[in-house]
């Protein structure tokens, strides 16, 4: 054993550390070191540790070869403590390359530990190898070992959560699209529940008393089960009052009477609608709980299912498109005033599809108390499929922004997700993050047309930025982060090419020149006034001609807290 191993993991303050017993599940931790004493001391310190209500499950390996075998057999390992020097002076580094490049495991957190830092310099190792932390063995006292363990496991938890959310989003797009293939009403009803189960990532072997769902008709005085799963699998054509509790029946009826979805900690009632009319109700009972993420997925899927059901039943695509338009428009943020007040900005946006639904998107949301994210995108098509892709992009954007704070990384993750969908479409996208304390705007661009900078005391100017590559084409494309500083009263105008490509009856284009004139003429007007003025100019220019492309735009001005 190396010198100093006896006090390798001692408390910095000499105090004993204790943790309560775990409640459910475990986090797998792989200890890789050729010194048995390191295993013993690590186990002694961490054995009773509980992270997020789950205890640690330890796996030991004493050589690099053993470590490769163990991680292959346990791909759900959360954390690896990995020694550099074992059977040779690069055994640990070989393990890192095997995990990341051969096994393609990007999730497990790797903390490299070495007793000979001079042979494996920290700066070189961090740059050249995909590890998450580097520690010298003699610096890891008890407190630091516990701290880095908790931090690494929480990071693993967040990464796995976002990975699961992205897979669920992909299933959402696939499931929504598959409903178009359902030709018979009877098949449609059962398909709704099957697809809903798959979106919520339920195991096929989930016990019936843990998760159950049923779909009813809309005869409020005498509801009938149309299709069911779990406890209600054999309840088709039965009266709902005969198969559910009095409390559940009351909740379903209340959702119908109020024309409003109901969510509790473990139950949900959501409505399939045509316009304001309820066609059917879906009841879900999940003893494991219904998360906020589940609510969002259920809401989006049932909204799409409502639209498709009406198409199947009525054979009226016009009505379905109208519903889809309402769904798409309701997904857009319109809390301009509240966001403006919270972040001290003046913001307004507008979207008008060329058809009932389209592939343009704008979004804005707070990332924390000081940073506001703004985005605009354009799918390379129009119609329902484009709208589905853009809906998935919007929800994915917000999910990824929970984990990453740099625009280029967010775009990279969004690009990877859209590439997996293999839709045959690409998406141009501009993403900016404004620091409202300093006025610094960091941004990245994915093939979108450049925005305009709006100056308080000078003419607007089209930004000279990196073009980037559209999302959904090249999975490993690396996006560039750029920075611009905004002062008091300065702003930015982002838009899709539906603005400049708008055509009149003679098929002449609106072009960028009239747009520049409108931006120049704003003269200190508000974001709402600027967007409204451009909207009116476009409407007047297009006249009776059909709208050529989807139109989206967003204007933002900084507040007076920034330096002049």
């Amino acid at each position: 054993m190396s010198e100093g191993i006896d006090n390798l993991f001692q408390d910095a303050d000499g105090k004993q550390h204790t943790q309560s017993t775990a409640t459910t599940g475990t986090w797998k931790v792989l200890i890789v070191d050729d010194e048995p004493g390191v295993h013993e001391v690590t186990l002694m310190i961490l054995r009773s540790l509980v992270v997020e209500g789950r205890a640690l499950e330890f796996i030991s390996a004493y050589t690099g070869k053993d470590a490769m075998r163990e991680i292959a057999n346990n791909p759900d390992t959360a954390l690896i403590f990995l020694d550099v020097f074992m059977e040779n002076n690069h055994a640990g580094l070989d393990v890192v390359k095997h995990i990341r490049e051969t096994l393609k495991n990007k999730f497990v957190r790797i903390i490299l530990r070495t007793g000979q830092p001079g042979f494996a310099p920290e700066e070189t190792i961090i740059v050249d190898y995909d590890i998450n932390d580097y520690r010298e063995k003699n610096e890891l006292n008890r407190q630091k070992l516990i701290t880095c363990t908790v931090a690494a496991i929480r990071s693993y938890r967040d990464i796995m959560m976002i990975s699961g959310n992205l897979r669920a989003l992909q299933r959402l797009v696939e499931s929504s699209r598959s409903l178009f293939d359902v030709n018979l009403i009877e098949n449609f009803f059962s398909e709704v529940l099957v697809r809903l189960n798959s979106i919520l990532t339920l195991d096929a072997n989930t016990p019936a008393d843990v998760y159950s769902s049923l779909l009813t008709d809309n005869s409020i005085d005498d509801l009938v089960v149309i299709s069911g799963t779990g406890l209600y699998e054999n309840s088709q054509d039965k009266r709902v009052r005969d198969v559910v509790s009095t409390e559940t029946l009351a909740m379903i009826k209340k959702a119908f009477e109020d024309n409003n979805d109901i969510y509790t900690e473990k139950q949900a009632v959501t409505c399939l609608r045509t316009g304001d009319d309820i066609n059917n109700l879906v009841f879900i009972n999940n003893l494991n709980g219904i998360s906020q993420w589940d609510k969002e997925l259920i809401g989006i899927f049932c909204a799409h299912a409502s639209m498709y059901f009406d198409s199947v039943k009525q054979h009226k695509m016009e009505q379905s498109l109208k519903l889809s338009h309402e769904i798409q428009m309701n997904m857009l943020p319109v809390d301009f005033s509240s966001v403006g007040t919270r972040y001290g900005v003046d913001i307004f946006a507008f979207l008008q599809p060329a058809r009932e639904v389209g592939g343009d998107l704008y979004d804005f949301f707070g990332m924390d108390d000081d940073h506001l994210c703004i985005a605009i995108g354009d799918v390379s098509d129009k119609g329902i499929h484009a709208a589905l892709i853009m809906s998935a992009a919007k929800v994915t954007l917000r999910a990824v922004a929970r984990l990453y704070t740099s625009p280029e990384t967010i775009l990279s993750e969004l690009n990877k997700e859209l590439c997996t969908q293999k839709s045959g479409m690409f998406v141009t996208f501009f993403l900016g993050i404004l620091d409202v304390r300093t006025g610094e705007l960091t941004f990245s661009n994915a093939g979108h047309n450049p925005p305009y900078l709006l100056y308080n005391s000078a003419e607007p100017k089209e930004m000279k930025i990196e073009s980037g590559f559209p999302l959904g084409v090249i999975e490993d494309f690396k996006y560039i982060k750029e920075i611009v500083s905004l002062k008091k009263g300065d702003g930015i105008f982002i838009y899709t090419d539906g603005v400049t490509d708008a055509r009149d009856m003679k098929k002449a284009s609106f072009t960028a020149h009239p747009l520049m004139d409108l931006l120049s003429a704003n003269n200190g007007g508000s974001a709402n006034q600027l967007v409204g003025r451009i909207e009116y100019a476009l409407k007047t220019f297009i006249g009776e001609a059909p709208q050529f492309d989807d139109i989206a735009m967003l204007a933002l001005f900084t507040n007076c807290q920034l330096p002049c």
Side-chain angles (χ1 to χ4, degrees):
M1 190 175 295
S2 64
E3 184 179 354
I5 193 67
D6 292 336
N7 62 0
L8 184 57
F9 302 114
Q10 295 302 308
D11 274 340
D13 55 7
K15 295 180 180 180
Q16 181 73 20
H17 180 89
T18 60
Q19 285 281 347
S20 60
T21 303
T23 55
T24 58
T26 60
W27 303 106
K28 289 185 180 180
V29 177
L30 174 59
I31 305 171
V32 185
D33 202 293
D34 59 354
E35 298 186 20
V38 172
H39 290 258
E40 295 170 4
V41 176
T42 305
L43 288 171
M44 179 182 67
I45 293 173
L46 299 181
R47 183 176 284 114
S48 61
L49 182 64
V50 176
V51 182
E52 305 293 332
R54 295 165 64 178
L56 308 186
E57 175 185 342
F58 296 95
I59 305 169
S60 289
Y62 295 87
T63 66
K65 184 177 180 180
D66 290 343
M68 294 179 189
R69 183 182 65 253
E70 293 294 348
I71 191 62
N73 293 335
N74 297 275
D76 57 339
T77 298
L79 170 61
I80 301 177
F81 286 109
L82 179 61
D83 187 18
V84 177
F85 292 85
M86 290 178 286
E87 60 264 43
N88 56 55
N89 61 6
H90 53 79
L93 302 181
D94 292 341
V95 172
V96 175
K97 292 187 66 176
H98 180 75
I99 292 172
R100 301 304 195 202
E101 298 177 9
T102 303
L103 299 181
K104 305 295 183 182
N105 187 335
K106 302 294 184 180
F107 303 122
V108 63
R109 305 294 85 189
I110 301 176
I111 298 179
L112 207 63
R113 298 195 292 188
T114 179
Q116 304 179 55
F119 288 93
E122 179 175 354
E123 181 177 349
T124 301
I125 298 303
I126 287 288
V127 171
D128 294 342
Y129 292 86
D130 187 2
I131 63 172
N132 305 104
D133 203 352
Y134 178 102
R135 299 281 180 165
E136 296 181 24
K137 290 184 178 180
N138 59 12
E139 72 170 314
L140 278 177
N141 57 37
R142 181 186 299 271
Q143 192 64 47
K144 288 185 177 180
L145 181 62
I146 291 172
T147 299
C148 70
T149 299
V150 172
I153 289 178
R154 284 177 175 167
S155 174
Y156 174 81
R157 173 205 62 188
D158 291 342
I159 290 172
M160 295 306 294
M161 180 181 297
I162 191 65
S163 176
N165 289 347
L166 293 178
R167 289 195 300 272
L169 283 169
Q170 184 175 359
R171 284 194 295 272
L172 172 62
V173 173
E174 294 170 352
S175 297
S176 296
R177 190 184 304 129
S178 73
L179 291 179
F180 271 129
D181 299 328
V182 180
N183 297 316
L184 301 177
I185 296 295
E186 296 79 12
N187 293 340
F188 175 84
F189 288 133
S190 60
E191 189 73 8
V192 165
L193 295 186
V194 169
R195 294 296 177 179
L196 189 55
N197 288 3
S198 71
I199 288 170
L200 298 178
T201 65
L202 296 171
D203 192 307
N205 297 317
T206 300
D209 60 345
V210 172
Y211 179 90
S212 301
S213 62
L214 62 80
L215 189 147
T216 80
D217 61 10
N218 62 352
S219 305
I220 186 62
D221 295 327
D222 196 12
L223 293 169
V224 174
V225 177
I226 299 176
S227 184
T229 67
L231 294 176
Y232 312 117
E233 185 173 0
N234 299 316
S235 299
Q236 185 174 347
D237 297 328
K238 293 182 179 180
R239 299 290 187 268
V240 174
R241 65 171 180 265
D242 295 332
V243 299
V244 303
S245 68
T246 303
E247 293 78 9
T248 296
L249 180 61
M251 184 167 66
I252 295 174
K253 287 189 174 183
K254 180 173 176 56
F256 186 94
E257 292 165 352
D258 295 347
N259 197 357
N260 195 28
D261 298 343
I262 297 176
Y263 289 95
T264 66
E265 182 180 354
K266 297 181 180 179
Q267 294 180 322
V269 179
T270 186
C271 307
L272 303 184
R273 300 180 177 89
T274 298
D276 294 330
D277 299 325
I278 296 176
N279 289 321
N280 304 90
L281 297 99
V282 178
F283 169 71
I284 298 171
N285 185 67
N286 187 1
L287 296 183
N288 289 330
I290 297 176
S291 68
Q292 182 60 39
W293 178 256
D294 291 335
K295 295 177 186 178
E296 295 178 7
L297 291 176
I298 292 169
I300 294 173
F301 176 79
C302 287
H304 285 156
S306 297
M307 178 183 67
Y308 301 148
F309 170 67
D310 185 61
S311 179
V312 171
K313 187 175 71 171
Q314 302 293 341
H315 302 286
K316 293 181 179 179
M317 184 58 71
E318 296 83 3
Q319 186 68 17
S320 296
L321 291 173
K322 179 181 177 182
L323 289 172
S324 185
H325 173 78
E326 294 172 0
I327 293 168
Q328 184 178 34
M329 299 308 290
N330 287 336
M331 291 182 66
L332 297 172
V334 292
D335 51 338
F336 306 110
S337 178
S338 60
V339 169
T341 300
R342 179 181 177 185
Y343 291 96
V345 297
D346 178 18
I347 187 170
F348 198 81
F350 169 83
L351 186 146
Q352 177 63 57
R355 303 172 185 172
E356 283 81 359
V357 293
D360 276 12
L361 162 80
Y362 75 78
D363 201 5
F364 58 89
F365 54 93
M367 302 180 71
D368 55 40
D369 290 339
D370 299 315
H371 294 87
L372 178 67
C373 183
I374 59 174
I376 200 160
D378 185 358
V379 177
S380 59
D381 201 353
K382 308 176 188 67
I384 291 178
H385 196 181
L388 285 173
I389 296 297
M390 192 50 77
S391 295
K394 178 185 182 300
V395 182
T396 304
L397 168 64
R398 294 205 175 201
V400 172
R402 296 175 185 174
L403 287 181
Y404 304 101
T405 58
S406 57
E408 77 278 14
T409 304
I410 295 174
L411 277 191
S412 294
E413 294 300 315
L414 184 55
N415 177 54
K416 291 176 184 177
E417 170 57 18
L418 292 179
C419 283
T420 64
Q421 295 183 9
K422 303 185 184 304
S423 65
M425 300 181 183
F426 61 85
V427 183
T428 66
F429 212 91
F430 177 88
L431 177 69
I433 299 176
L434 176 66
D435 186 333
V436 297
R437 300 167 304 173
T438 64
E440 183 178 86
L441 178 71
T442 58
F443 61 91
S444 290
N445 192 42
H448 201 75
N449 43 280
Y452 283 87
L453 285 177
L454 310 176
Y455 295 106
N456 187 34
S457 57
E459 287 293 305
K461 182 175 67 174
E462 186 180 61
M463 297 173 65
K464 304 299 182 183
I465 61 176
E466 290 286 338
S467 175
F469 214 78
L471 305 176
V473 180
I474 301 177
E475 184 174 353
D476 295 325
F477 188 85
K478 302 298 182 183
Y479 293 93
I480 304 298
K481 179 176 75 173
E482 300 185 71
I483 301 174
V484 65
S485 294
L486 302 178
K487 297 181 179 180
K488 182 180 71 174
D490 290 349
I492 186 172
F493 178 80
I494 55 178
Y495 65 102
T496 60
D497 58 13
V499 174
T500 51
D501 290 345
R503 297 181 182 180
D504 63 8
M505 291 295 291
K506 297 180 180 179
K507 296 187 178 181
S509 296
F510 189 72
T511 74
H513 300 296
L515 176 60
M516 175 65 84
D517 293 339
L518 290 165
L519 295 175
S520 299
N522 195 48
N523 294 327
S526 68
N528 190 343
Q529 291 171 329
L530 175 60
V531 171
R533 187 178 295 112
I534 297 173
E535 177 190 354
Y536 178 80
L538 286 170
K539 184 177 180 180
T540 303
F541 174 80
I542 294 171
E544 297 298 321
Q547 186 175 323
F548 177 73
D549 197 1
D550 303 329
I551 294 172
M553 48 185 161
L554 182 150
L556 177 146
F557 293 95
T558 56
N559 68 357
C560 59
Q561 296 178 7
L562 301 175
C564 297

